């Protein structure tokens, strides 16, 4: 393995394990390593980066924590399947006002997802449509069996995003649908029928290649949800204010 | 500190440090801890979570790696300023085709940012406008002095996003502008004048509260960049194909 591209990493500002992690990450990028590839051994990395094996171990731990590397039991350390992609990448779980977060996300969804649906209708392959129909019926099964459908609902919207053939759109959907779980728990069963009908209309428009209709039915679907969420949040605030004045 | 909400964490699937990290993260959320707050001591956490201090230390390292916690030298371990927010949260650095990534991101920017500019014009406060003007002139200084303006360019688009008063929009901008650095290096000096003029038009429209015009000039700004990027990428592909056939 060539050494030339790796600077002496002991000279910079951040901690040694952090800089070692950066160098390993650079190596993954430059050598085009994928999830098929095993990371070079601790010994090799220590030689290559001119650091001790303990430092390599700490650097590897950092990259495992960030899902760049994964440890496969009994096999060793590999590059992760989607390196660097982590759940809740914007730290929404730590936002103090989850209701406001849900409303702000609904605003973004209302702007973005109708466009995504139109793009999906314009670019979906036959295989995409098959997967989309499957995903749609999984959500329906959840709803019919009165299970929490939030996870599969997100997967349905990701399946639509995959039809666009844009690499990034399917990665943005899990971020902007972060509040779906909260939303489903707040609305309880009130939206089940609307969800089934809305999803079916979207799937039909996309499989007919009708971009305009896909955009329209998606806009209706998201707006229906957004308006209901807003109503619930306003009611909660009014009730909260009443309780406060009753208590004072 | 109450113990009741913390389950016995030795019983689940993932590794013990990973589950400890989850419990600490739960504690941060439930106790509404912010960047002003110091994390309880290793000793306290070990008692509370019924694990050893070594395990607490490993769990804390995981959360430091994910920017949920930060170590302030000489002061101890604190909650991070934007807990859970990391640079490059979707792992774009590991995408093999950076040019395709840049084009796909440009497509998303072209759809999203004109809307962001309109919202900015409709909701900006006087303070927002002051910050936006400052940010605009920082980019101009970079360009006049022939410095790489990509980082401050992203900051300018974030400053616009902050005018929307939507919590999430400013967090999405650094993701969708990931390719700006690559773009600036590909276009070299060709876009400098257009960037200065485009940015000024956007700032004027937003500070006049003219949503329609803000949307329009932002759409032009992004589309100009996208079209130039596409032209460059297609030229690179043609040259690549020529080199290949010349080599065969």
């Amino acid at each position: 393995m060539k050494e030339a591209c790796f600077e002496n990493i002991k000279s910079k500002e951040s901690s040694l394990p952090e800089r070692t992690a950066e160098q390993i990450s650079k190596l993954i990028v430059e050598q085009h390593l994928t999830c098929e590839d095993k990371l070079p051994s601790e010994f090799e990395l220590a030689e290559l980066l001119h650091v001790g094996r303990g430092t390599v171990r700490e650097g590897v731990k950092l990259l495992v924590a960030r899902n760049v590397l994964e440890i496969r039991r009994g096999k060793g350390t590999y590059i992760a399947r989607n390196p660097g992609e982590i759940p809740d990448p914007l730290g929404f779980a730590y936002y103090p006002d989850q209701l406001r977060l849900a409303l702000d996300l609904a605003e973004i969804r209302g702007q973005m997802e109708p466009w995504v649906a139109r793009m999906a209708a314009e670019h979906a392959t036959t295989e995409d449509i098959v997967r989309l129909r499957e995903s749609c019926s999984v959500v329906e099964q959840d709803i019919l069996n009165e299970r929490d459908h939030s996870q599969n609902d997100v997967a349905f919207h990701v399946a639509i995003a995959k039809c666009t053939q844009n690499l990034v759109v399917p990665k943005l959907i899990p971020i902007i649908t972060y509040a779906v779980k909260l939303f489903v728990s707040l609305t309880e069963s009130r939206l089940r029928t609307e969800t089934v009908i809305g999803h079916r209309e979207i799937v039909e428009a996309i499989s007919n290649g009708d971009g305009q209709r896909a955009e329209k039915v998606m806009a209706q679907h998201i707006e229906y949800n957004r308006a209901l969420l807003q109503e619930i949040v306003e009611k909660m605030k009014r009730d909260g204010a009443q309780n406060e004045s009753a208590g004072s």
Side-chain angles (χ1 to χ4, degrees), chain A:
Chain A
M1 213 176 281
K2 278 186 305 180
E3 290 199 22
C5 55
F6 300 102
E7 327 155 34
N8 185 329
I9 61 181
K10 283 185 184 162
S11 57
K12 284 194 214 146
E13 279 261 330
S14 51
S15 78
L16 195 51
E18 190 59 67
R19 281 174 279 148
T20 306
E22 268 170 42
Q23 292 295 309
I24 296 172
S25 147
K26 211 171 150 189
L27 181 144
I28 296 169
V29 172
E30 286 175 359
Q31 316 243 340
H32 307 289
L33 303 183
T34 70
C35 61
E36 316 263 293
D37 296 304
K38 197 168 170 172
L39 191 72
S41 73
E42 251 173 37
F43 180 79
E44 281 179 89
L45 288 170
E47 287 266 291
L48 184 69
L49 306 175
H50 309 291
V51 293
R53 291 175 62 172
T55 306
V56 169
R57 208 172 301 134
E58 289 302 311
V60 166
K61 273 188 197 168
L62 284 171
L63 293 175
V64 170
R66 293 171 187 150
N67 193 38
V68 173
L69 298 175
E70 66 183 31
I71 292 160
R72 299 190 192 152
R73 216 184 283 182
K75 290 187 169 174
T77 308
Y78 282 76
I79 318 305
R81 193 156 296 277
N82 293 306
E85 239 189 284
I86 58 165
D88 191 17
L90 297 178
F92 288 156
Y94 303 98
Y95 279 41
D97 189 344
Q98 292 285 310
L99 292 174
R100 172 156 177 218
L101 174 63
L103 284 173
D104 284 2
L105 285 168
E107 190 175 36
I108 296 171
R109 293 188 68 190
Q111 203 281 325
M112 226 183 134
E113 292 200 57
W115 170 74
V116 172
R118 176 160 57 79
M119 294 271 293
E122 288 167 1
H123 300 286
T125 66
T126 319
E127 272 179 17
D128 288 334
I129 303 289
V130 172
R131 275 193 225 104
L132 184 59
R133 284 191 190 283
E134 276 167 14
S135 179
C136 184
S137 81
V138 169
V139 177
E140 289 191 10
Q141 286 306 312
D142 277 351
I143 289 178
L144 286 173
N145 294 301
E146 305 199 345
R147 289 189 297 260
D148 177 356
H149 64 282
S150 46
Q151 207 175 336
N152 287 323
D153 200 294
V154 171
F156 173 71
H157 287 269
V158 171
I160 295 171
K162 284 186 178 159
C163 301
T164 65
Q165 318 303 328
N166 182 303
L167 288 174
V168 180
V169 173
K171 309 289 185 184
L172 291 178
I173 299 296
I175 298 179
I176 63 176
T177 56
Y178 173 84
V180 163
K181 203 178 166 59
L182 173 66
F183 177 69
V184 166
S185 74
L186 285 175
T187 55
E188 288 158 8
S189 59
R190 290 166 65 185
L191 266 179
R192 293 166 175 272
T193 319
E194 281 78 7
T195 302
V196 172
I197 295 172
H199 283 191
R200 282 190 187 179
E201 284 177 338
I202 294 163
V203 171
E204 283 322 302
I206 292 173
S207 52
N208 291 335
D210 186 343
Q212 228 176 347
R213 178 151 176 83
E215 183 169 350
K216 191 181 152 194
V217 288
M218 178 65 94
Q220 284 168 350
H221 176 59
I222 304 277
E223 175 52 24
Y224 190 94
N225 289 7
R226 196 203 58 74
L228 182 58
L229 179 65
Q230 187 158 20
E231 195 186 293
I232 291 169
V233 170
E234 277 166 12
K235 187 173 180 315
M236 285 170 80
K237 281 190 187 155
R238 276 200 309 275
D239 293 353
Q242 269 175 7
N243 290 345
E244 258 176 54
S245 58
S248 70

